[in-house]
Amino acid sequence: MSILVNKDTRLLVQGITGAQGQFHTAQMLAYGSNIVAGATPGRGGRTLFDRVPVFDEVEEAVARTGANASILFVPAPSAADAILETADAGLKLIICITEGVPALDMVKVLHVLREKDVTLIGPNCPGVISPGEWCRAGIMPLDIHLPGRIGVASRSGTLTYEAVHQLTQAGIGQSTCIGIGGDQLVGTGFVDALALFQEDPETDAVVLIGEIGGVKEQHAAEFVKARGFTKPLFVVVAGQTAPPGKRMGHAGAIITGKAALASSKIAALQEAGATIIPGPAYIGETVKQGLR
Amino acid sequence: MKLHEYQSKALLAMYGLLVPHGGLAGTPAEARHVAERLAGPCVVKAQVYAGGRGKGGGIRVVHTPHEAETAAAAMLGTRLVTPQTGPQGLPVHHVLVEEALDIDRELYLGITIDSGTESVVVVASRAGGTDIETVAHDHPELILRQVVDPVVGFQAFQGRRLAIDMGLPASMARSLAGQMLALYNLFMAKDCSLAEINPLVVTTDDRVVALDAKLTIDDDALFRHEDLAALRDWDQFDPLEARAAKAGIAYVKLDGDVGCLVNGAGLAMATMDTIKAAGFSPANFLDVGGGADPQRVAMATDIILQDPSVKRILVNVFGGIARCDDIARGIVQAIPQERRALPMVVRLLGTNLEEGKAIFRASGLNVRFVNSLLEAIEALQALTVP
């Protein structure tokens, strides 16, 4: 088992005809993901990789192929439009890889999605992978994952790969790894991810990878304190050495006040009973010891 | 992207908010001319991308055009140090000379995007004039908030409620609500991430005027605001940060001596933390980006080398899209002959790893390869710097 994506996921790729879309579609197919359709406005009618039909509209793609989840490689200026089109077509899982979506676009998108019971992952995220189900709906490297029983949720891309690599090297497999995204406003937060992992009988524990900025880690801590998540939780928060007031790459990674500090987040999660990983170098080691 | 106070105020005025009469000056003589035109007590304000200017001597009240000229001369061409700038300060190339107002009370008005409610929120307080974080800490009951419904936008009743809850007479509530609505319209139209008026003053003749103004535009929305993007004042950036930003490389200069080159923002922060765990301090944050080609990596390497405090380098690239041979080629190409002895700890993982290592080995650079962050810590500690 896993959360969000599995072997029954029928994936639609939006922006499939762009360079990013084509490259990662090839990678996802190589991993074994079941990609049933692509969509790019104005590019419908062709077939890519000898098996993936491309449509102009998401609605048509869903009607013709039975796609039940979508991954977006759409340029930032059109990302909000693409997410809303997908939600309108009735899909309940949307994964937005696109980086640089304007924050006010996301305010509107999230408002609409709240009414529709849609799960949005991202934007500005590496996607979701369930190694035991051979489903990769994302851009993560192909060969670092190991099927297993640990969930991973992270605001970062490459730091997630680092964490997964350390877990795999330590012989600890993963049920599902979710990159929730590096922006201030994202669809699925840590709380939603923890709730899903709590319900998954084949996830035994979760590694949460936070970073400076915002209050997502504090929300996770409150959720754990309220017994919403009761499995073992391991936490690392990146950016302990980041200066205040400077954006550290990610739009959401900026220290604007006390709550945004790595130390505040670590304190909140520690108080909630999480095991604090002393630093990014010790993820594999700490989880291995903690699971003993 | 930050805007200067004078740029922010021009936008405020365009949207119907009252701002003090005044003008921008790039020389002391120009400051005198503006003061002569205003005919009365003035305030001379240094234009830098930082707050806390009063504490650093960047705001002076003057009574004559001659005093305005003198005050401007003392600021222009200097670097202003405030509690927010760091010890090196920021260059003052312009001052804003404005009429001094007779102030009855100072309020706070701010608009931002709130992560918790995933909405735009209007924040007001009767404790204006001080840093809002301090007010929030010492007197949280004085911070008033109204969450904006994305469908209908900010409503006049919300403005009146904020005004009355701030203790203003009902007679003024309508005009203040109008000012709030004007600021909200500006916030939405220009894709702000922060619009802050602190203080928003009520004058003794009952006018509501924006005495200071700070607008920050969402970097991710600049593609649809080319006019605003052109206002960026590169002089307010560290020169290396400016160069990196122009090349699309996320770089922040820090105080340590271990330069680091990383792909991905989260991993870059994690690498900084790892340097700290080894007992050193990072010289920079640097995310070279996902599909890093050799030219980009070379540019990133050069930026790191331009920082004179850099004594060692840690490269940490987790290749997915990025290819290790591209990374190696870029770094090798960028390191000049005289810096070839610079000790480097290199952690590469991913596509074309062996090709990447071979390029480093053939280069003669002082490189030590490691396979993990734990090994990187040990390798950094073992380095002897020539």
Side-chain angles (χ1 to χ4, degrees):
Chain A
M1 265 280 285
S2 58
I3 64 168
L4 296 167
V5 298
N6 55 40
K7 57 184 178 343
D8 299 325
T9 301
R10 296 175 63 78
L11 202 58
L12 163 72
V13 180
Q14 284 169 260
I16 192 169
T17 52
Q20 286 261 323
Q22 289 210 37
F23 176 81
H24 288 293
T25 299
Q27 298 270 303
M28 286 187 281
L29 287 169
Y31 190 76
S33 308
N34 185 18
I35 296 177
V36 297
T40 302
R43 298 286 177 92
R46 64 190 72 185
T47 300
L48 291 176
F49 306 104
D50 291 332
R51 55 192 272 203
V52 181
V54 180
F55 300 90
D56 288 312
E57 288 192 296
V58 174
E59 194 173 25
E60 189 192 358
V62 173
R64 298 272 291 276
T65 67
N68 59 12
S70 183
I71 180 167
L72 274 68
F73 296 95
V74 173
S78 340
D81 178 48
I83 294 170
L84 293 174
E85 181 189 2
T86 314
D88 187 69
L91 290 193
K92 298 300 180 196
L93 176 61
I94 305 172
I95 298 161
C96 183
I97 305 299
T98 309
E99 180 177 357
V101 182
L104 285 177
D105 288 5
M106 286 311 299
V107 169
K108 291 171 194 156
V109 165
L110 293 177
H111 180 79
V112 174
L113 295 193
R114 271 195 293 274
E115 314 283 304
K116 284 188 186 281
D117 188 31
V118 169
T119 299
L120 172 69
I121 309 290
N124 189 13
C125 78
V128 184
I129 185 167
S130 296
E133 301 276 333
W134 297 105
C135 187
R136 169 195 192 257
I139 60 172
M140 51 290 280
L142 296 183
D143 50 358
I144 56 171
H145 300 84
L146 179 72
R149 302 181 60 90
I150 301 299
V152 177
S154 168
R155 284 169 64 186
S156 161
T158 44
L159 179 55
T160 315
Y161 314 157
E162 171 68 41
V164 168
H165 180 68
Q166 287 187 31
L167 291 173
T168 296
Q169 293 280 305
I172 303 164
Q174 307 92 42
S175 53
T176 299
C177 308
I178 313 173
I180 68 166
D183 285 355
Q184 185 195 0
L185 298 184
V186 294
T188 295
F190 282 137
V191 170
D192 311 287
L194 289 176
L196 290 169
F197 281 128
Q198 176 73 17
E199 293 304 313
D200 179 26
E202 298 192 358
T203 296
D204 294 339
V206 167
V207 177
L208 185 151
I209 301 158
E211 60 189 41
I212 55 162
V215 289
K216 292 186 182 77
E217 293 77 6
Q218 281 89 343
H219 287 167
E222 285 161 25
F223 186 67
V224 171
K225 265 179 131 174
R227 311 287 300 159
F229 183 80
T230 55
K231 299 175 181 181
L233 181 64
F234 299 89
V235 172
V236 66
V237 179
Q240 306 188 30
T241 46
K246 295 269 192 177
R247 172 174 157 171
M248 296 281 124
H250 289 156
I254 179 165
I255 298 174
T256 46
K258 230 182 201 156
L261 291 169
S263 55
S264 306
K265 293 163 183 299
I266 289 170
L269 283 155
Q270 187 156 33
E271 202 202 319
T275 301
I276 305 302
I277 301 168
Y282 307 97
I283 299 168
E285 196 175 280
T286 312
V287 176
K288 193 171 186 178
Q289 277 174 13
L291 288 177
R292 239 176 233 155
Chain B
M1 183 193 94
K2 290 176 183 172
L3 294 182
H4 277 301
E5 177 193 4
Y6 76 91
Q7 296 164 337
S8 301
K9 281 180 167 167
L11 282 169
L12 257 50
M14 204 185 290
Y15 277 78
L17 287 127
L18 282 182
V19 299
H21 295 294
L24 191 69
T27 65
E30 283 172 18
R32 190 184 69 235
H33 293 320
V34 177
E36 281 166 353
R37 181 160 59 77
L38 293 171
C42 293
V43 185
V44 179
K45 307 175 83 176
Q47 299 298 289
V48 292
Y49 277 2
R53 290 172 299 170
K55 294 189 182 93
I59 298 180
R60 295 271 177 80
V61 179
V62 296
H63 298 90
T64 65
H66 176 70
E67 280 180 29
E69 184 173 7
T70 312
M75 292 178 201
L76 288 165
T78 66
R79 293 184 77 89
L80 182 69
V81 177
T82 85
Q84 296 180 15
T85 59
Q88 72 286 357
L90 289 170
V92 184
H93 292 150
H94 290 97
V95 295
L96 182 61
V97 183
E98 289 185 333
E99 59 173 337
L101 299 172
D102 291 322
I103 296 165
D104 178 42
R105 56 174 110 192
E106 297 191 330
L107 311 171
Y108 172 92
L109 179 61
I111 305 182
T112 187
I113 296 171
D114 175 54
S115 307
T117 56
E118 296 168 341
S119 300
V120 174
V121 60
V122 178
V123 182
S125 174
R126 65 182 160 89
T130 15
D131 173 33
I132 198 67
E133 280 254 341
T134 312
V135 181
H137 183 265
D138 298 343
H139 296 283
E141 74 283 0
L142 294 183
I143 307 276
L144 307 171
R145 295 156 50 95
Q146 287 287 311
V147 176
V148 181
D149 184 311
V151 176
V152 294
F154 186 70
Q155 297 296 300
F157 83 86
Q158 295 182 295
R160 293 196 300 271
R161 179 181 292 164
L162 288 172
I164 286 167
D165 289 353
M166 276 195 285
L168 288 173
S171 59
M172 288 194 63
R174 267 183 70 181
S175 93
L176 187 58
Q179 303 260 313
M180 291 180 188
L181 189 58
L183 188 65
Y184 171 78
N185 289 336
L186 164 61
F187 184 94
M188 298 304 288
K190 300 300 177 189
D191 272 296
C192 297
S193 49
L194 176 71
E196 193 175 60
I197 303 178
N198 189 21
L200 178 69
V201 301
V202 181
T203 61
T204 47
D205 56 354
D206 281 349
R207 285 181 302 144
V208 179
V209 185
L211 204 63
D212 195 1
K214 186 158 87 181
L215 297 182
T216 306
I217 312 296
D218 179 1
D219 289 311
D220 290 335
L222 285 174
F223 69 85
R224 57 190 175 205
H225 300 286
E226 282 176 22
D227 52 335
L228 296 178
L231 296 179
R232 197 190 294 265
D233 181 357
W234 289 108
D235 292 339
Q236 298 291 315
F237 289 77
D238 173 273
L240 289 178
E241 290 183 8
R243 218 180 117 204
K246 286 173 189 168
I249 296 168
Y251 168 87
V252 177
K253 164 115 180 60
L254 302 170
D255 300 332
D257 64 4
V258 184
C260 49
L261 189 154
V262 189
N263 67 331
L267 191 60
M269 282 187 272
T271 305
M272 285 158 49
D273 294 349
T274 302
I275 289 168
K276 193 79 174 178
F280 299 96
S281 289
N284 60 274
F285 163 94
L286 191 149
D287 170 13
V288 73
D293 58 88
Q295 287 73 31
R296 213 173 142 83
V297 174
M299 165 79 88
T301 308
D302 188 54
I303 287 167
I304 292 171
L305 291 177
Q306 294 296 318
D307 174 358
S309 9
V310 170
K311 302 268 190 308
R312 320 161 173 75
I313 289 181
L314 173 59
V315 175
N316 187 16
V317 173
F318 206 115
I321 312 170
R323 286 172 23 178
C324 297
D325 53 335
D326 278 350
I327 303 280
R329 218 167 272 130
I331 293 172
V332 168
Q333 175 193 324
I335 299 186
Q337 206 56 44
E338 66 275 14
R339 303 290 293 273
R340 298 244 145 194
L342 191 72
M344 293 175 64
V345 175
V346 174
R347 192 278 185 111
L348 291 174
L349 207 61
T351 318
N352 295 351
L353 172 61
E354 289 312 316
E355 291 89 332
K357 283 186 173 176
I359 291 167
F360 272 119
R361 285 204 191 92
S363 72
L365 289 173
N366 184 6
V367 171
R368 177 136 180 229
F369 295 109
V370 296
N371 292 313
S372 68
L373 290 180
L374 277 176
E375 284 184 26
I377 291 177
E378 288 161 16
L380 278 175
Q381 288 168 340
L383 281 185
T384 45
V385 174

